[in-house]
Amino acid sequence: MEELMEIKKTAMEHIPAAEGEIQDKLFRICDLADSLMMSKSMIDPELVKRYEEGE
């Protein structure tokens, strides 16, 4: 979670200086980080455990 917040913070710091497509991609990175942070609470830990064990 902390890594996602750091990624978003870094992207947001660079948005004002970026132009065009780069700026659009930075906004998309921020949106993706937000989505991942929101969905983290909905992830089933048992499903992750089974996936990691190769079931």
Side-chain angles (χ1 to χ4, degrees), residues 6-16 26-27 29-30:
E6 187 63 32
I7 289 168
K8 182 179 176 185
K9 177 183 170 196
T10 302
M12 291 189 73
E13 289 173 354
H14 289 85
I15 286 173
L26 290 170
F27 275 119
I29 288 169
C30 291

Side-chain angles (χ1 to χ4, degrees), residues 7-49:
I7 289 168
K8 182 179 176 185
K9 177 183 170 196
T10 302
M12 291 189 73
E13 289 173 354
H14 289 85
I15 286 173
E19 295 181 11
E21 187 178 338
I22 302 291
Q23 192 175 51
D24 291 342
K25 290 191 183 298
L26 290 170
F27 275 119
R28 290 176 64 195
I29 288 169
C30 291
D31 287 343
L32 178 59
D34 285 339
S35 295
L36 289 170
M37 286 188 282
M38 287 188 293
S39 67
K40 185 167 174 62
S41 64
M42 299 183 325
I43 296 173
D44 181 2
E46 285 300 313
L47 183 61
V48 172
K49 183 178 177 182

